[in-house]
Amino acid sequence: MSHHRLIVRSQEKRKCFCFVLPYSFSFCHRTMKILVAVKRVVDYAVKIRVKPDKTGVDTQNVKMSMNPFCEIALEEALRIKEAGFAKEVVAVSIGPSQCVDTLRTGLAMGADRGIHVEANSSFLPLTIAKILRSLAEVENPGLIFLGKQAIDDDCNQTGQMVAALLGWPQATFASKVVLDNDKHVATVDREVDGGLETLSVDLPAVITTDLRLNQPRYATLPNIMKAKSKPIKKMTLEDLKVDIKSDIEIVEVTEPPKRKSGVIVSSVDELIDKLKNEAHVV
Amino acid sequence: MTRAVLLRALTKNKFVASNIPRSLSVTNLSRCISTLILAEHESGSIKAQTVSTVVAAGSLGESSTISLLLAGSGSSLHEAAAQAASCHPSVSEVLVADSDKFEYPLAEPWAKLVDFVRQRGEYSHILASSSSFGKNILPRVAALLDVSPITDVVKILGSNEFIRPIYAGNALCTVRYTGSGPCMLTIRSTSFPVTPISADSQSKKATISQIDLSKFKEDSVSRSRYVGQSTQDTERPDLGSARVVITGGRALKSVENFKMIEKLAEKLGGAVGATRAAVDAGYVPNDLQVGQTGKIVAPELYMAFGVSGAIQHLAGIKDSKVIVAVNKDADAPIFQVADYGLVGDLFEVIPELLEKLPEKK
């Protein structure tokens, strides 16, 4: 009897929820969540060394930091939140346990919480995109921000792939993002060959950021302290049920051929002479 | 003893047996290399990067067929298609998708189109150039096909083995594609120069066919729209394919001073480039930026004025034939890659060069 009542009540509740849904959707901007993917990479200022066995690049005892394009993506999400267009900014990082440091940096910049998908091998962008799709299905963000490329693998693929997997529109290489929440639309200036292109995309959408989008903030000491108490949820690949695709094999990693050392000339005349008679380019 | 011999014979046999079909399938594979290239065109003509991509496709295997896919609408599409048919002797077919949906290069309908065309024909490879257009669309197609694409290929070693730069060109990575779907690549056009085509092979024309789009289903409501474009009109050659590139850095100090770089470029018939610092300072628009995050150039002559030579900039110029650097700072890293360096004040050097360089054009 009591069981029966309970079931009825829960059914009623579910019905109720259905009515609530369109209502909450129309006020989506107040509750919009932004997901930002951040990657831990070798710091951009480090001169990398190729391993002697040609299996890759030495990342042991090398300074690591947040990929610069990801910093820009996070900064943009934070600005959107500060302008009142979003409620929450969630930073996600996929990789080994040290990714938590990258997430803490993100939390110190102002992200509300972090998700760390623990993985001890490195994945191809397609697998990363599948992980992000699974997370998007759970978190239901209105926007996903990513950097346009990671400065280690230089792939420039993940954002486009997440958009494809979710069936969402994409705006890549963004240098300006303007949100119109009443219409659920983002107007994005994109850096394309030969100038700028402006697109408008319906939300939810995926945006990847170019360097000129903004100047990321530095985390202040109080914010770094505050970040320590912000939540980071740990997840595994099993939680997200993602199949790992490895259809590309790294055969070897080598150093690029060195350029022949050049000469310092002492005058413009000598330079012109060399260009004319030695290099034959003018 | 006998058992061991028998075993060895058996395994050997097995080895041979398994080897025959494999070698057969390999020759089969190389026989059926069929490449689809997503072509870029503008105001009635095909872009130079696309022709470079055709050159790259030609080195995938000996007997391969190359199909160029052109999408768009109106007369400029058909002009471009006619030109594409004779742009390179190795192009076997030009496919034309004429629809308002492709008036602008929006990733969503274009990615669907490539997938649609792929379903009609059997393609072992799908290529695009590593331009902002190719990088926007190709990974989206790849995800629809559940395939890992390979970005910025600079060398083709075989039908599924490629070299691409990583870490801003500070390392080269050789990769092998092992997947079952089509192998998808974006091609760095400066690594596959187009050699002049002889007159008799130029007359060879590929067939042009229209794609029947009646079964092409796009999402009922398009969720992205093209708003506009601001292009920088210049009469100078395109930065990505220019024979000479003259670049200025932050040391130019102002928009006015940057005009000196432009004058020098004009004199040499070259294109103007800039470092990120010069772009950020507002001296020139951002599409002139040379480097890992901007354009990759590989001209015959690259001249850098007031450029320090940050890693990200060097990544974009490494393949230039001759690099000239002019900088006040003798320790600037640019001198490590320069063939000819001149330590001096660019405000004195550029006017002198303008005066003394022989006239080109």
Side-chain angles (χ1 to χ4, degrees):
Chain A
M1 191 61 176
S2 64
H3 263 280
H4 181 69
R5 206 179 294 152
L6 225 155
I7 288 163
V8 168
R9 199 181 293 156
S10 77
Q11 270 172 351
E12 274 170 4
K13 221 180 201 172
R14 202 179 295 156
K15 234 183 234 165
C16 212
F17 182 66
C18 285
F19 284 116
V20 166
L21 201 66
Y23 177 78
S24 73
F25 184 72
S26 65
F27 287 94
C28 163
H29 59 285
R30 287 199 195 135
T31 56
M32 184 170 85
K33 194 189 283 180
I34 304 178
L35 205 64
V36 186
V38 295
K39 185 177 183 184
R40 176 178 175 268
V41 297
V42 172
D43 190 88
Y44 70 94
V46 169
K47 179 139 180 42
I48 56 119
R49 274 189 334 191
V50 171
K51 286 187 200 166
D53 65 358
K54 296 184 178 178
T55 55
V57 165
D58 202 352
T59 54
Q60 294 285 312
N61 305 315
V62 170
K63 189 187 174 197
M64 305 288 277
S65 32
M66 191 189 289
N67 179 41
F69 291 103
C70 301
E71 274 188 336
I72 293 165
L74 181 55
E75 174 68 33
E76 196 63 19
L78 295 172
R79 288 184 189 189
I80 288 171
K81 187 192 159 191
E82 284 158 2
F85 290 133
K87 200 190 79 178
E88 196 184 25
V89 174
V90 184
V92 184
S93 197
I94 301 153
S97 55
Q98 297 95 317
C99 286
V100 169
D101 302 339
T102 312
L103 284 172
R104 288 276 171 229
T105 309
L107 297 175
M109 280 172 74
D112 297 286
R113 60 188 170 89
I115 298 173
H116 174 215
V117 180
E118 195 154 29
N120 285 317
S121 51
S122 62
F123 297 131
L124 291 168
L126 184 56
T127 301
I128 300 291
K130 286 176 182 172
I131 294 171
L132 292 172
R133 170 183 59 185
S134 298
L135 283 172
E137 279 161 0
V138 177
E139 294 282 342
N140 240 338
L143 265 175
I144 301 180
F145 268 107
L146 300 95
K148 77 163 179 184
Q149 74 189 66
I151 61 163
D152 53 0
D153 61 22
D154 287 336
C155 276
N156 196 330
Q157 297 169 356
T158 310
Q160 293 89 312
M161 293 182 131
V162 183
L165 295 174
L166 287 165
W168 291 3
Q170 70 188 48
T172 50
F173 326 141
S175 63
K176 191 179 169 197
V177 177
V178 179
L179 281 189
D180 181 335
N181 267 312
D182 296 330
K183 290 183 189 146
H184 303 288
V185 160
T187 305
V188 181
D189 284 0
R190 303 179 55 230
E191 287 191 12
V192 294
D193 299 342
L196 286 177
E197 180 187 272
T198 310
L199 290 186
S200 103
V201 292
D202 293 346
L203 303 187
V206 175
I207 299 177
T208 74
T209 60
D210 217 316
L211 274 178
R212 255 165 302 275
L213 180 59
N214 59 46
Q215 194 68 50
R217 67 194 68 186
Y218 289 105
T220 58
L221 190 61
N223 284 342
I224 293 171
M225 300 309 288
K226 240 188 264 171
K228 288 187 175 160
S229 57
K230 287 183 181 174
I232 294 179
K233 186 175 168 190
K234 230 181 208 14
M235 295 185 94
T236 62
L237 291 171
E238 290 77 51
D239 296 336
L240 294 163
K241 296 187 183 67
V242 172
D243 74 300
I244 297 158
K245 188 105 183 175
S246 49
D247 49 358
I248 288 176
E249 206 179 283
I250 291 177
V251 179
E252 62 172 18
V253 174
T254 55
E255 278 193 47
K258 288 216 165 38
R259 287 187 77 93
K260 264 203 332 258
S261 60
V263 291
I264 296 287
V265 294
S266 54
S267 68
V268 171
D269 291 319
E270 195 189 339
L271 177 63
I272 292 176
D273 177 63
K274 294 264 191 201
L275 291 178
K276 253 195 216 165
N277 303 318
E278 202 177 274
H280 308 290
V281 283
V282 294
Chain B
M1 184 74 181
T2 39
R3 196 188 271 174
V5 170
L6 222 143
L7 245 168
R8 208 175 300 150
L10 259 175
T11 44
K12 203 177 169 192
N13 248 339
K14 215 179 194 176
F15 180 69
V16 169
S18 70
N19 220 21
I20 288 167
R22 193 188 288 168
S23 65
L24 258 177
S25 74
V26 166
T27 45
N28 254 348
L29 248 178
S30 60
R31 213 171 273 159
C32 341
I33 288 174
S34 172
T35 309
L36 178 68
I37 295 176
L38 180 56
E40 248 176 291
H41 59 96
E42 196 177 48
S43 41
S45 61
I46 196 128
K47 285 200 176 176
Q49 293 116 296
T50 298
V51 185
S52 291
T53 309
V54 173
V55 172
S59 60
L60 283 167
E62 265 174 31
S63 47
S64 62
T65 60
I66 298 171
S67 308
L68 280 184
L69 168 60
L70 274 78
S73 68
S75 61
S76 86
L77 168 69
H78 297 283
E79 275 169 44
Q83 197 222 334
S86 54
C87 75
H88 197 277
S90 55
V91 176
S92 27
E93 181 189 23
V94 175
L95 302 168
V96 179
D98 188 346
S99 164
D100 294 345
K101 288 177 188 131
F102 312 121
E103 193 178 353
Y104 304 109
L106 295 168
E108 296 80 33
W110 283 64
K112 285 243 168 85
L113 173 69
V114 178
D115 187 19
F116 179 75
V117 173
R118 177 200 64 90
Q119 287 166 21
R120 294 170 65 252
E122 281 289 307
Y123 297 103
S124 59
H125 293 73
I126 301 177
L127 272 58
S129 69
S130 276
S131 57
S132 58
F133 168 86
K135 283 182 171 169
N136 186 40
I137 297 168
L138 199 91
R140 189 169 177 114
V141 183
L144 295 176
L145 304 185
D146 198 29
V147 160
S148 290
I150 301 166
T151 305
D152 263 346
V153 169
V154 295
K155 198 166 184 189
I156 293 172
L157 302 174
S159 63
N160 49 16
E161 212 166 292
F162 315 98
I163 298 181
R164 62 176 300 263
I166 53 173
Y167 288 90
N170 289 302
L172 293 175
C173 187
T174 305
V175 294
R176 187 181 297 134
Y177 177 67
T178 58
S180 50
C183 177
M184 302 186 68
L185 316 169
T186 62
I187 300 295
R188 183 173 284 188
S189 52
T190 54
S191 302
F192 297 91
V194 181
T195 44
I197 299 151
S198 63
D200 55 307
S201 59
Q202 216 160 16
S203 59
K204 206 176 118 192
K205 273 200 175 123
T207 54
I208 300 175
S209 52
Q210 300 278 332
I211 296 169
D212 174 16
L213 291 168
S214 58
K215 288 199 181 97
F216 178 73
K217 279 193 209 82
E218 210 209 340
D219 300 337
S220 50
V221 205
S222 173
R223 296 184 56 213
S224 65
R225 289 155 301 274
Y226 178 88
V227 178
Q229 186 158 25
S230 61
T231 35
Q232 270 78 35
D233 293 319
T234 55
E235 297 197 348
R236 282 186 294 270
D238 178 58
L239 183 55
S241 53
R243 205 187 62 82
V244 175
V245 174
I246 316 289
T247 290
R250 203 205 306 266
L252 263 299
K253 292 199 182 96
S254 72
V255 180
E256 282 66 46
N257 291 339
F258 218 93
K259 297 237 155 61
M260 295 198 304
I261 298 282
E262 288 166 21
K263 260 193 208 145
L264 192 57
E266 249 158 59
K267 181 143 195 191
L268 291 169
V272 171
T275 63
R276 176 159 186 242
V279 170
D280 283 351
Y283 304 160
V284 282
N286 58 34
D287 58 317
L288 295 189
Q289 187 188 316
V290 172
Q292 183 197 12
T293 56
K295 292 250 169 61
I296 311 284
V297 299
E300 279 179 38
L301 172 62
Y302 181 84
M303 297 180 92
F305 293 91
V307 172
S308 64
I311 296 179
Q312 98 86 31
H313 184 74
L314 297 184
I317 66 165
K318 267 189 186 137
D319 295 327
S320 307
K321 207 172 132 212
V322 175
I323 297 178
V324 174
V326 176
N327 203 306
K328 261 203 287 203
D329 177 9
D331 296 326
I334 187 92
F335 285 124
Q336 289 164 19
V337 299
D339 300 284
Y340 304 109
L342 178 56
V343 181
D345 186 351
L346 64 94
F347 292 104
E348 288 164 18
V349 174
I350 298 179
E352 203 180 334
L353 275 170
L354 278 171
E355 191 192 319
K356 291 178 176 168
L357 272 173
E359 201 69 47
K360 271 264 149 143
K361 275 184 204 178

